[in-house]
Amino acid sequence: MTARRDSGVVAMPGTGSDDDAVDVSVVIPVHNCRAYLDRCLTSALVQRVKKQIVVVDDGSTDGSGELLDLYAAYHPGIVKVVHIDGSGSAGRPRNVGIEHATGRYVFFCDADDYLGAEALERMVAVADANGSDIVLGKIVGHGRRAPVSMFQQSADRLELGDSTVYNSLSCFKLFRRELLERHRIRFGEGMLVGEDILFTVHAYCHAGPISVVADYDCYHLVSRPDGSSIMQQAGSRDPLAWLAMIKGPIELMARHVEPGPLRDHLLRRHFRLDVFTQLGTVFLESDDVRRKDIAREVAALCDEWYTPGVHERLNTIDRQRAGALDDIDRLVRLARIESATVRRRLTGLRWEGDRLVVTGAARLDGITRDDNLAVVLRARHDAAAELVLPAERKGGEFTVRVNVGALGSGIWDLRVAVEIEGVIRLGRLGADRDSGIARPQPRMIGGIVALPYFTRDNGNLSIDMGGHVVAVPGTARLIRTRWALGHRLLVDGEISVVGTTPSAAAIRRIVWRERRTGCESSDRVTALPGGGFAARPAVGRLAPGTWDAYLELDLGGPPARFRIETDAQTVAPPRRWWGPALLRSVRPYATSGKGRLSAVVRRLTAETLIRRIIR
């Protein structure tokens, strides 16, 4: 493959000061992508880093090459265009791009995708701060599936064995160029698919610190409406071709990682996402002869790489597949179970004492039998926290009684679990429900407020323990106020939460929040019997401004705040007094409308006061 011509001039770093060095070389392979180039190139040009954009035109015939030359002419020193004869895959143009890259880091971007405006700035900052060799920026899909497991939260320094970063083997990441050159890490060439898997596996094997930017949409993965991208073409995920391809990355990884827990962790990814996936929907769509061929290739990979450590790390259905590779009928049944839709319906929801009674119906579509049925409560932000409740069954319906007091603070999502032939299928519960089912009233259970609710996006049933996302209903109301020594405002009030009296330990403090600046000041509160409270806030010491009063409670989650309600008759009158050369004033008042306690605090010097009188 020979290069035909270059356009664009890039200033080479290394001959001047470090200030002249390029931070990132963005490598973009292009083959007949003219309709997408403006968006892609613009997203790269607006990045607030010192950049070089290397665009490799892989034999385009749709005018992409001419458009790229215009970009190079308008952005000399930034955009470099290399034209090569068509190679048929992205591996060759990406390798050419690496050879022309001069940046400290390299980022690979496809021509039909685009970058978030702050993507490279954020990733470079993380890499520089942590000495990272690879940075994964959050990927979002537009008509295409994007990886999610590794983007649950940002991380400065990760290792392969203690994270899910290896689940993402696409090349849409920030790589330290010195890493690529030192180990001669390159893409596979002449491959229809998988060239980036080979590259990324090799890079992971040599990488030191790996970082994740999960709090910003860095890379936008786009599906072409015309279906013309390689991954959208028929045959791009042919199961036999894929199984043949994946042998290379697995063997490459095994050459660098010795047998043991780390290798098993990495092999788990390949078996779960590359190997046993071929025994799913695509297996059902194949004829009998092809099914035998797929099972034979999977068995060959298992014979070489399937270890007890891999077995322990896989889910139930993949373990069963590994033991049924000589039973095509069993593999077909497993595939049908996996692909069947979990039909579930919520038919009832009510409190029974401190237990939430959930009734419904569930089955797998097209499958007439099941072995067991349960409801699973899983903590949204703690994958290890799970409560499994076997269902009582009567006819086609099930019933579970949730001991809400056994749930810890946090959001708990409810799923129905249907078990068939040892395979457990899960489905969120609540979106499909009988008409008339309303959200049950919140309850105080063991000092924690329990708030069952239906999620806003899909209408699924969840329980908020502690008021993390659902507002806690309650009222805090003043009974009387009066002034005391030290310009303190004595207040007596009463509090009710979800229709009951909270414990004395739950009442924490009064918080004053300045309306314009958001500054806060707090005072201790004394809890009284029967839901009463008393406090002596030093309102006279507040800075000038308008301050709104809240009562803060601990209800098992984040601090719950309630605006303190009052009326004009209950609020103490304004108070003025002279301090050192200052006239201070505090005017408590009930806001219009709902009547809530606020206070206006002012400070006037003698000079200001005289000026006002003269006016």
Side-chain angles (χ1 to χ4, degrees), residues 485-506:
L485 293 175
H487 309 297
R488 291 180 175 271
L489 184 66
L490 304 187
V491 299
D492 296 309
E494 54 189 9
I495 177 73
S496 172
V497 177
V498 300
T500 189
T501 300
S503 66

Side-chain angles (χ1 to χ4, degrees), residues 99 121 139 159 187 207 217 328 343 396 550 583:
E99 299 302 325
E121 179 183 8
I139 300 174
E159 296 184 1
F187 290 87
D217 294 345
I328 300 299
R343 300 292 182 188
Y550 299 82
L583 176 64

